[in-house]
Amino acid sequence: MTVRVLVVDDDALVRAGLTLMLDGAQGISVVAQVADGSGVPAALDAHPVDVVLMDLRMPGVDGIAATRTLRRRFDPPAVVVLTTFDTADEVEAAMHAGASGYLLKDTEPQRIVEAVLAAAAGEPVLSPRVARRLMDSTARAGGSRAAARAALDLLTERERDVVAAIGRGASNADICRELYLSLATVKAHVSSILLKLGLENRTQVALLVRDAAQR
């Protein structure tokens, strides 16, 4: 199945380069591109999209606002942020808005292709530098530990097992092997977890696990 991509970036050369690169990758097709977040709703109305490759800092509607808006849609596409900026505030804002991935524009082309495919499969993707930023920001978020632990207490024991695995970066297939569950059961647990916690994706679950584990 072809993964359909919407590219959102205010730089025409970047849009053209990403389109050329992704259209040349097996299993991916760029179905539309827009110059800022204000064009995203119309593009999604006009084209079925699986993954949105989203810049952050754009004139008009920025990437955070655009991500937050599109994630409210029925059956929304996954969002992978692709930006030059990697401050902890921007990374966390993007994750909490509903992005399932965050890459920097100096990421190797093949890694971007892999990230798009992973996001379409429901897997979170972070560049190594961004992952370090999130870990470094843990000390600043100490007050969220009690809230995170209270949220996790809403889950069943088996759901907490699944959450712990997600926090370690495990895929659904990994969780199946680790917990001796069928894929359908794992998917049902993940859906229940997201619903109970009021979260959009696995990346937000991993952030919650990180907050709960703080000392």
Side-chain angles (χ1 to χ4, degrees), residues 12-188:
L13 287 177
V14 171
R15 293 198 306 273
L18 287 171
T19 299
L20 182 64
M21 178 187 71
L22 292 172
D23 274 340
Q26 185 175 6
I28 298 177
S29 174
V30 176
V31 297
Q33 49 176 289
V34 296
D36 74 86
S38 64
V40 170
L44 295 181
D45 289 340
H47 305 277
V49 172
D50 302 301
V51 177
V52 178
L53 207 53
M54 181 81 73
D55 191 16
L56 277 192
R57 297 187 187 180
M58 298 178 288
V61 178
D62 65 27
I64 300 295
T67 297
R68 190 177 296 115
T69 297
L70 78 84
R71 290 298 301 172
R72 296 192 189 109
R73 297 172 69 98
F74 174 74
D75 194 20
V79 177
V80 175
V81 170
L82 183 64
T83 182
T84 307
F85 308 98
D86 64 341
T87 67
D89 288 344
E90 285 176 308
V91 174
E92 293 210 24
M95 296 296 100
H96 287 295
S100 57
Y102 198 112
L103 301 177
L104 301 178
K105 286 184 177 177
D106 60 1
T107 301
E108 293 182 0
Q110 182 57 34
R111 175 62 173 156
I112 296 175
V113 169
E114 292 169 356
V116 168
L117 295 174
E123 304 295 343
V125 183
L126 297 175
S127 71
R129 205 160 89 206
V130 168
R132 286 196 298 271
R133 281 276 189 269
L134 284 176
M135 288 186 288
D136 290 344
S137 71
T138 298
R140 298 191 296 105
S144 63
R145 180 181 63 178
R149 291 182 175 180
L152 293 179
D153 284 342
L154 298 172
L155 306 178
T156 66
E157 182 178 356
R158 180 55 89 189
E159 286 171 343
R160 285 195 291 272
D161 291 339
V162 173
V163 163
I166 292 173
R168 295 192 297 273
S171 66
N172 283 350
D174 295 331
I175 297 171
C176 289
R177 290 189 293 269
E178 181 180 332
L179 300 181
Y180 303 101
L181 299 173
S182 70
L183 182 58
T185 300
V186 171
K187 288 182 176 180

